């Protein structure tokens, strides 16, 4: 009956947006992670193409992007819909929106691109023009903010944010390092994290808050060894195939973070990062603080369609140390809810992790 209803909606749809809505509703009805439909221009479309550029999307990228490199224009904002309103769910450090002072929890009332600055004739694309945002917060009135988009490769955007997020908090005589990994879906994120913790300014801290909220997953189970843990056993099973053998454990690192560590998670912590959260809880590596993770732990694969749109499909079931996390997630040791609208500019989950 559901398929027939979607087919009828599809036949009535007359615009690309309407048909995209039918496809998204149909896929959402499956109730599984790593499954969705993304049209060209969606932020996730750019990011997934870039994330899988060494594999499934490699041949499509030269056709879709001149120079063969995925780049997009971004303010560094993540938006979410709440009760019919659009709110700022995240502001990436080191991005134009962060530098302009846009705060998590503010409501976006309107956005308009301002006139571009004229320049001499050129064969290269024009620079992105500034965008004027109308923002409000409960009891705080309205304000205008002008932000000029940044043109960047998605992976570089997340690396920039990871670098810029690193800082040290002083709490009761202790120096607590903090770094946020919005994506762990490339060895470059892990390499940067190791440099930050073991060789950089964070290396002298007494403890660490590792923030896994937001972004994408992708963490390798062996990454847990960098904070003193054991790589959990990850097994995958594709339809019609036997369960895969557990991957060979990675060699123990020469150096690892051995001081106290707290893991910060919420409902946007997904995929491979949930495997890390599971290892923290099961191995007692340190307290997990925040909200239950997304429960999005399947193996997914993107398919680039003829019109350039991207279909993401779950293709494999996953178990971690014999447990299935899909639809379950990881419950934190210390539960701290967060209300974006009530905590504008604040972060009670981070404060609890620092405590």
């Amino acid at each position: 009956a559901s398929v027939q209803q979607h087919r009828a909606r599809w036949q009535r749809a007359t615009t690309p947006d309407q048909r995209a809505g039918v496809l998204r509703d149909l896929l959402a009805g499956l109730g599984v992670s790593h499954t969705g439909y993304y049209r060209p221009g969606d932020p996730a479309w750019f990011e997934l193409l870039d994330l899988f550029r060494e594999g499934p999307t490699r041949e499509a990228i030269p056709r879709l992007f001149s120079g063969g490199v995925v780049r997009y224009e971004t303010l560094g904002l993540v938006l979410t819909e709440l009760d019919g309103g659009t709110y700022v769910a995240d502001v990436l450090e080191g991005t134009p929106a962060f530098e302009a002072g846009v705060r998590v929890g503010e409501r976006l009332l309107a956005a308009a691109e301002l006139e571009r600055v004229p320049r001499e004739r050129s064969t290269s694309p024009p620079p992105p023009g500034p965008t004027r945002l109308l923002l409000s917060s409960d009891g705080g009135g309205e304000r205008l903010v002008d932000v000029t988009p940044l043109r960047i490769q998605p992976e570089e955007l997340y690396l920039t944010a990871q670098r810029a997020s690193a800082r040290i908090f002083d709490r009761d005589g202790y120096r607590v390092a903090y770094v946020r990994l919005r994506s762990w879906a490339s060895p470059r994120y892990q390499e940067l994290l190791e440099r930050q913790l073991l060789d950089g300014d964070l290396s002298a801290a007494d403890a660490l808050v590792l923030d896994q909220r937001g972004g994408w997953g992708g963490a390798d189970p062996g990454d847990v060894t960098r904070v003193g843990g054991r790589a959990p056993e990850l097994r995958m099973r594709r339809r019609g195939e036997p369960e895969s053998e557990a991957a060979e454990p990675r060699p123990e690192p020469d150096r690892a973070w051995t001081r106290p560590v707290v893991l910060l998670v919420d409902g946007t912590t997904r995929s491979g990062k949930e495997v890390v959260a599971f290892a923290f809880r099961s191995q007692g590596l340190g307290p997990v603080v925040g909200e239950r993770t997304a429960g999005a732990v399947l193996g997914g694969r993107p398919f680039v369609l003829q019109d350039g749109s991207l279909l993401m499909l779950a293709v494999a079931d996953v178990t971690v140390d014999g447990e299935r996390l899909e639809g379950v997630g990881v419950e934190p040791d210390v539960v701290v809810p967060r209300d974006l609208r009530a905590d504008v500019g604040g972060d009670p989950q981070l404060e609890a992790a620092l405590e």
Side-chain angles (χ1 to χ4, degrees), residues 140-202:
E142 298 179 356
R143 67 189 187 109
L144 291 170
V145 178
D146 291 346
V147 187
T148 300
L150 173 70
R151 185 167 181 81
I152 193 170
Q153 182 188 9
E155 184 175 286
E156 292 297 336
L157 173 73
Y158 284 106
L159 285 167
T160 295
Q162 182 178 332
R163 291 188 193 97
S165 74
R167 56 192 186 274
I168 292 181
F169 295 87
D170 289 317
R171 289 297 171 97
D172 298 327
Y174 293 96
R175 292 164 52 82
V176 184
Y178 170 86
V179 64
R180 186 164 182 177
L181 276 81
R182 290 180 177 83
S183 179
W184 216 329
S186 163
R188 295 180 69 192
Y189 300 112
Q190 176 62 30
E191 292 165 3
L192 173 58
L193 179 63
E194 290 179 10
R195 291 197 301 272
Q196 290 174 305
L197 297 183
L198 304 178
D199 300 312
D201 294 338
L202 304 183

Side-chain angles (χ1 to χ4, degrees), residues 5 10 14 29 37 51 61 75 87 95 117 156 160 190 206 209 214 218 252 269 299 310 317 348 355:
Q5 290 169 4
W10 177 270
T14 58
Y37 175 72
L51 194 156
I61 289 176
L75 301 179
Y87 291 83
T95 64
V117 178
E156 292 297 336
T160 295
Q190 176 62 30
D206 302 301
V209 172
E252 290 294 322
T269 303
L310 189 146
D317 200 7
E355 269 313 296

Side-chain angles (χ1 to χ4, degrees), residues 230 232-235 243 278 318-325:
R230 169 189 60 79
E233 184 181 84
L234 193 72
R235 292 178 181 266
E243 186 175 67
F278 175 86
V318 175
T319 59
V320 185
D321 284 346
E323 294 195 30
R324 191 170 188 268
L325 300 181

